[in-house]
Amino acid sequence: MGVFSTIEEEKKKQLNTAKFQSERKVILSAAVPIELENIDTDQIIPARFLKATTREGFGKNLFRDWRYENNDENKPVKDFALNNTIYSGRLLVAGKNFGCGSSREHAAWAIKDYGFDAVVSSFFADIFKNNALNNFLLPVQVSDAFLGKIFEAINKNPGTELEINLEEQYIKITSTGEQENFDINKYKKTCLLNGYDDIDYLLSMKNEIEEFEKQPTH
Amino acid sequence: MSNTDSYNSEQNLTQAGGDRSLSLFEKIWEKHIVKTIDGGPSVFYIDKHFIHEVTSPQAFKGLEKRGLKVFRPNQVVATADHNVPTLNQHLPIVEELSRIQVQTLTENCKKFGIELYGLGHPYQGIVHIIGPELGVTQPGMTIVCGDSHTSTHGAFGTIAFGIGTSEVEMVLATQCLMQSKPKLMRINVEGQLNKGVVSKDIILYIISKISASGATGYAVEYAGSAIRSLSMEARMTICNMSIEMGARCGMIAPDETTFKYMKGRKFAPQGEAWDKAMAYWKTLHSDEGAMFDKELYIKAEDIEPMITYGTNPGMGIGITGHVPELNEISTEDKPSFVKSLHYMGIEPGTTMKGKKVDYVFIGSCTNARIEDLKMVAGFVKGKKKAKDVEVWIVPGSKQVEKQAVEEGINKIFEEAGFLLRQPGCSACLGMNEDKIPAGKYCISTSNRNFEGRQGPNARTFLASPLTAAAAAITGEVCDVRELLAN
Ligand code: SF4
């Protein structure tokens, strides 16, 4: 991809590419299902946990109010998927319009910090999708029908593994062999596969941005 | 939630190549593209960047880690709003983490040379209220903030949207973002509004029709005679809630109402600069023949005072309507619907009228401008609140508060038994002390009724300031029109 050719070689070396490359291409894992629609960012991470000034440690409050009764860590809600030991894995599967609501990136941080590498849903809210991508959390958007099949497979066998291949852009239910392709912006795919983030690219554009500013505006 | 009785018609149009008719969105969009990557996003230039204490600290940390300065500090404006107390603002913030967050903002602004309207400053307030109020927000601009209700500023004919903290860092570092062009939708609201129906009802009605995800991926332009007839403040309420149907942004073309509002504001252009700006601003409208991917038509007469019954803003009904029956909900929507109603303690098929409320919250970037407070004051003048109801009025900014006092509105509130607090986000998101207790019902002029939004297990009914004020007087959800008639 020529997209990143403008980033100086030096900058490239600094990037932590090794960390992402191999593990990013394919994720093979069981999944944790939350079969609800319109899961908003206030549920993912309630506002009272946004008082931190760092990015770390949000995982322990992920879905806080669905996870614990009366906010009490000693009282986990038994049948909530995150507490249900029959479910495990690095993938979260949820109903449509996942991540609607606030722009808080803390939602993506919490999901990532908890240990998820991808979220599968049939529809994502815009800002959440951007935030996820900026944190190397892969939003995989599938059709309603395929999402139904995933839930069905997990309901039958909670250990069902899903295979997500970013390079080739498909997601597969390993137990049934059914698969579907998913979309991802070409630029963002390169970012994810190589561990680049937007800010590296934008910084490489500084001169062009300054030129742009000289144009007579309105 | 899908709904069947609906707007008149809906058209799907594809963009015609080489057509010179441009939409309002496209006119502003094209002026801000630094470069477009082949088949990818564009480097998109941002004119104004608002920041606040909650979503900025990690961005500044990121800058420091990279050894960067803020690229254009004078295009950034900061305020403290999300986390601040709304009583005794002259005292140090009691809650430690909130205090640290507000302090961190103060230190970062000092270090990076950013103008801060912090606690105690006469311009402090909710970020989306102070931008327009100060004339910082101007037609034709691109505006971002680490807050989803940045769409508010679209009421001036701007492209304004919320961003995450990584993006806050990008804008601080380069004044740019990577953006893909959204699809375009125009929503036309034609005709005259019924008595007791205000702009909040228009937007709650639209969201109830197209659902909480109905505009995801779209930039929405609001047009039509009913929109044109609204004041700037009422227009802001509509654009504010665009995000509640998933829209990237909401916008309204600037017109005489806009220019009149802007003239003389603190940071609005003056003298010759004003004339030049006006000449440009007048070009900011969708041309005849501009293409939209989707266009909706709504009759203003169809809109009643609205109320929400569920846990997303799309779950709204007209005040004389009823909560859907289970058999009106599709199979796939059922689990969420049932969970939502269970949380709210509401039965399918019932009416909302007569539902008891415990709290009334009049505030937030949706409805805490001076007009909102005046509307409430005008309605409650000479009336008293119901005995068991607690009423919080939280002005959107220091300036709103000041004007409320100068005009004696605070007296009217006092006599009615309402408490006028100090500016901030307050019970809109319950990050400070202003939380609705578990299980209690709050009728709120804010924008979100999510589970726990106003406090763990709090239950929220979203409504207009008028409908909320009516509930404050009667102690229950009621049809404000019946009280207006008396
Ligand atoms: S008032 Fe509510 S919606 Fe508006 S900026 Fe504050 S928290 Fe966000």
Side-chain angles (χ1 to χ4, degrees):
Chain A
M1 295 259 335
V3 174
F4 288 93
S5 57
T6 40
I7 302 183
E8 311 126 57
E9 279 311 303
E10 201 40 45
K11 183 76 214 164
K12 271 191 185 167
K13 273 189 225 140
Q14 292 169 16
L15 293 169
N16 191 3
T17 54
K19 194 169 137 212
F20 295 103
Q21 244 161 7
S22 53
E23 93 185 51
R24 280 297 131 193
K25 281 183 188 149
V26 179
I27 305 172
L28 179 67
S29 169
V32 179
I34 306 183
E35 214 170 334
L36 288 172
E37 295 169 6
N38 296 315
I39 296 178
D40 60 76
T41 50
D42 277 73
Q43 308 317 314
I44 300 172
I45 183 86
R48 59 188 191 281
F49 300 112
L50 309 186
K51 294 176 192 259
T53 52
T54 62
R55 288 170 178 250
E56 291 80 33
F58 288 100
K60 73 174 198 297
N61 295 318
L62 175 65
F63 291 114
R64 178 80 189 196
D65 292 336
W66 286 355
R67 235 163 117 187
Y68 304 110
E69 260 169 59
N70 301 325
N71 200 16
D72 183 347
E73 276 171 48
N74 299 315
K75 285 196 202 146
V77 175
K78 270 199 226 83
D79 51 0
F80 182 59
L82 254 52
N83 299 328
N84 192 337
T85 47
I86 62 171
Y87 302 122
S88 64
R90 293 151 59 200
L91 306 175
L92 180 65
V93 185
K96 73 170 180 242
N97 201 24
F98 185 85
C100 58
S102 130
S103 64
R104 60 186 71 158
E105 195 163 317
H106 312 67
W109 298 338
I111 295 172
K112 187 79 187 162
D113 188 57
Y114 183 86
F116 291 116
D117 284 328
V119 184
V120 182
S121 174
S122 57
F123 201 82
F124 290 96
D126 255 356
I127 308 180
F128 175 80
K129 196 194 258 177
N130 272 341
N131 287 341
L133 288 165
N134 283 331
N135 288 281
F136 304 99
L137 173 69
L138 181 64
V140 179
Q141 186 160 333
V142 297
S143 65
D144 283 321
F146 195 75
L147 185 68
K149 284 181 186 164
I150 296 176
F151 280 130
E152 201 181 305
I154 297 175
N155 286 341
K156 248 189 227 148
N157 171 15
T160 301
E161 285 193 317
L162 303 178
E163 179 188 325
I164 296 175
N165 187 316
L166 173 57
E167 184 88 65
E168 293 173 28
Q169 293 180 222
Y170 69 77
I171 171 167
K172 186 153 115 189
I173 307 171
T174 53
S175 58
T176 65
E178 287 166 295
Q179 69 175 61
E180 190 174 85
N181 285 23
F182 62 87
D183 266 347
I184 181 166
N185 181 304
K186 223 160 92 187
Y187 162 85
K188 271 296 172 194
K189 182 173 165 182
T190 311
C191 287
L192 285 179
L193 287 171
N194 297 293
Y196 301 153
D197 56 15
D198 286 356
I199 200 163
D200 295 316
Y201 179 67
L202 288 171
L203 286 169
S204 76
M205 292 281 302
K206 265 279 177 63
N207 290 341
E208 276 153 286
I209 296 170
E210 279 172 358
E211 277 310 306
F212 175 87
E213 285 180 321
K214 284 182 200 147
Q215 292 174 15
T217 36
H218 346 305
Chain B
M1 231 56 24
S2 52
N3 225 314
T4 43
D5 64 314
S6 65
Y7 25 84
N8 302 349
S9 69
E10 183 179 309
Q11 294 170 263
N12 278 294
L13 299 168
T14 37
Q15 218 72 27
D19 198 317
R20 288 316 299 150
S21 294
L22 291 178
S23 65
L24 168 62
F25 180 89
E26 290 165 309
K27 286 179 183 176
I28 305 172
W29 173 265
E30 285 175 10
K31 261 198 149 56
H32 290 84
I33 300 298
V34 178
K35 182 187 171 167
T36 299
I37 295 172
D38 245 355
S42 298
V43 177
F44 186 62
Y45 191 82
I46 303 302
D47 295 320
K48 278 285 176 245
H49 184 193
F50 292 101
I51 61 170
H52 60 85
E53 75 277 21
V54 175
T55 56
S56 68
Q58 294 89 348
F60 282 111
K61 256 193 195 135
L63 277 192
E64 283 185 321
K65 223 163 94 193
R66 292 173 197 257
L68 298 170
K69 289 197 290 208
V70 172
F71 183 54
R72 294 290 178 251
N74 56 9
Q75 284 169 243
V76 189
V77 175
T79 192
D81 57 1
H82 280 63
N83 226 335
V84 302
T86 54
L87 293 175
N88 294 321
Q89 286 186 347
H90 61 290
L91 298 177
I93 300 176
V94 178
E95 217 272 322
E96 189 191 355
L97 291 174
S98 303
R99 190 173 63 242
I100 293 175
Q101 227 173 28
V102 172
Q103 268 166 7
T104 307
L105 178 71
T106 310
E107 283 156 22
N108 281 327
C109 287
K110 201 186 252 172
K111 200 179 314 170
F112 290 94
I114 293 166
E115 182 82 34
L116 167 68
Y117 304 134
L119 272 192
H121 194 287
Y123 298 160
Q124 180 265 339
I126 303 173
V127 63
H128 311 309
I129 294 211
I130 66 168
E133 180 178 82
L134 293 169
V136 175
T137 301
Q138 295 169 15
M141 280 183 168
T142 52
I143 297 176
V144 293
C145 173
D147 185 284
S148 57
H149 293 94
T150 309
S151 56
T152 313
H153 306 262
F156 291 79
T158 70
I159 296 180
F161 53 92
I163 56 177
T165 297
S166 296
E167 292 171 312
V168 170
E169 185 180 336
M170 289 169 212
V171 180
L172 289 174
T174 68
Q175 209 58 38
C176 286
L177 278 176
M178 304 301 291
Q179 280 289 305
S180 301
K181 191 177 166 197
K183 289 181 283 182
L184 305 179
M185 184 190 302
R186 181 160 61 187
I187 301 179
N188 303 282
V189 189
E190 300 285 357
Q192 233 180 341
L193 290 174
N194 294 317
K195 187 179 71 171
V197 175
V198 294
S199 71
K200 178 68 162 283
D201 300 306
I202 301 180
I203 190 64
L204 283 173
Y205 178 83
I206 294 173
I207 303 169
S208 79
K209 291 298 172 203
I210 76 171
S211 92
S213 60
T216 304
Y218 289 91
V220 175
E221 180 179 345
Y222 302 94
S225 56
I227 301 289
R228 289 271 141 251
S229 70
L230 297 175
S231 72
M232 281 318 290
E233 302 204 344
R235 293 178 189 185
M236 285 187 242
T237 302
I238 293 195
C239 288
N240 173 276
M241 288 192 74
S242 305
I243 184 68
E244 306 311 336
M245 47 188 181
R248 180 87 61 87
C249 63
M251 59 204 312
I252 296 172
D255 58 11
E256 285 308 319
T257 306
T258 321
F259 308 143
K260 227 162 111 194
Y261 176 95
M262 298 221 44
K263 183 119 200 168
R265 301 227 163 227
K266 173 87 183 156
F267 296 106
Q270 318 266 338
E272 220 176 284
W274 171 266
D275 297 335
K276 236 176 103 194
M278 277 286 280
Y280 171 60
W281 294 346
K282 285 188 170 158
T283 68
L284 294 173
H285 52 78
S286 288
D287 296 331
E288 187 122 359
M291 293 295 206
F292 293 86
D293 299 282
K294 201 170 193 184
E295 190 142 16
L296 308 180
Y297 298 88
I298 285 167
K299 283 196 222 144
E301 306 86 87
D302 291 347
I303 307 174
E304 297 196 283
M306 295 288 295
I307 186 91
T308 66
Y309 59 87
T311 55
N312 77 56
M315 300 172 87
I317 49 175
I319 193 72
T320 62
H322 66 88
V323 176
E325 297 279 5
L326 265 183
N327 61 17
E328 294 174 64
I329 303 295
S330 72
T331 322
E332 59 176 59
D333 288 341
K334 231 170 238 169
S336 310
F337 179 78
V338 169
K339 184 176 192 300
S340 176
L341 261 57
H342 176 77
Y343 179 88
M344 292 298 293
I346 284 181
E347 295 297 321
T350 52
T351 60
M352 290 297 291
K353 259 169 89 173
K355 267 258 145 213
K356 194 182 167 324
V357 301
D358 307 295
Y359 285 79
V360 177
F361 173 62
I362 292 172
S364 91
C365 57
T366 312
N367 282 124
R369 284 170 284 267
I370 193 67
E371 260 180 38
D372 300 310
L373 267 51
K374 280 188 187 168
M375 191 196 302
V376 171
F379 175 77
V380 302
K381 191 166 186 186
K383 300 188 177 78
K384 285 233 179 309
K385 76 170 181 71
K387 201 158 78 312
D388 301 330
V389 179
E390 192 158 327
V391 186
W392 296 343
I393 312 241
V394 182
S397 71
K398 271 313 224 198
Q399 299 212 74
V400 171
E401 183 189 17
K402 188 168 157 239
Q403 198 175 338
V405 172
E406 278 168 5
E407 296 188 14
I409 293 173
N410 61 330
K411 287 266 149 37
I412 298 174
F413 292 150
E414 244 167 65
E415 280 156 22
F418 297 2
L419 179 63
L420 179 67
R421 302 172 80 102
Q422 291 171 305
C425 294
S426 182
C428 171
L429 88 166
M431 244 190 115
N432 68 352
E433 302 77 357
D434 308 346
K435 291 181 180 62
I436 306 303
K440 297 289 181 197
Y441 289 97
C442 176
I443 188 164
S444 175
T445 67
S446 57
N447 41 53
R448 288 191 173 138
N449 49 356
F450 297 155
E451 282 185 30
R453 172 78 178 181
Q454 298 195 288
N457 287 311
R459 294 150 156 177
T460 305
F461 304 139
L462 298 177
S464 79
L466 264 187
T467 297
I473 302 304
T474 61
E476 56 184 44
V477 175
C478 57
D479 189 339
V480 65
R481 294 171 296 187
E482 290 165 13
L483 295 169
L484 288 172
N486 292 341

